[in-house]
Amino acid sequence: MQDMIRKIVEADTEAKAMDEANRKSAEEEKRKIEQEAAAIYNSYMESAKREIVKNNAYLEKRYFKRWTDITAKQASSLIKLRMDYEQNCDRWVDEIVRRVLE
């Protein structure tokens, strides 16, 4: 009978040891998974930040070119309008006066 009790106690002790080992193993695996997830997240975020910087530089260059093109067109239009005004000012004034007086 004592032998049987001793075997039950030993089995219980072994089961507790195995349970503790499994718990520690599970905690270690959970920690590893969390570390890997954090590493993947950090890697992704760094990649995304680099992509954002690259895209911002591209967009800044693109919009600066558009702005300079528009500015050049506006300057050209202003020059043309001033030339039209200088060439036609007297004629336009005469026409306005004539229409008002009629």
Side-chain angles (χ1 to χ4, degrees):
M1 180 76 154
Q2 256 188 0
D3 191 40
M4 188 182 273
I5 294 174
R6 186 178 50 80
K7 286 182 181 182
I8 292 173
V9 170
E10 285 176 3
D12 184 55
T13 304
E14 286 179 23
K16 286 180 182 177
M18 286 176 59
D19 185 48
E20 182 64 20
N22 287 339
R23 187 187 60 76
K24 286 182 181 179
S25 177
E27 287 177 1
E28 181 65 23
E29 288 300 316
K30 181 181 175 185
R31 187 185 61 77
K32 284 180 183 178
I33 290 170
E34 288 172 352
Q35 285 178 339
E36 287 177 19
I40 290 169
Y41 175 81
N42 290 336
S43 173
Y44 175 78
M45 291 305 290
E46 287 300 317
S47 175
K49 286 176 186 177
R50 285 191 300 272
E51 194 67 24
I52 288 169
V53 168
K54 184 175 87 173
N55 286 342
N56 280 346
Y58 167 75
L59 290 174
E60 284 179 11
K61 183 178 178 182
R62 180 175 164 200
Y63 288 118
F64 181 75
K65 183 178 180 339
R66 282 183 66 191
W67 180 76
T68 55
D69 290 348
I70 290 169
T71 303
K73 286 179 184 177
Q74 287 176 341
S76 175
S77 294
L78 181 61
I79 290 170
K80 183 182 179 322
L81 287 172
R82 283 186 178 159
M83 288 175 56
D84 285 349
Y85 171 77
E86 288 173 7
Q87 291 175 354
N88 299 310
C89 177
D90 292 336
R91 188 171 57 87
W92 290 342
V93 169
D94 291 343
E95 183 66 23
I96 291 170
V97 169
R98 184 185 66 75
R99 287 185 184 190
V100 168
L101 293 177
E102 283 183 0

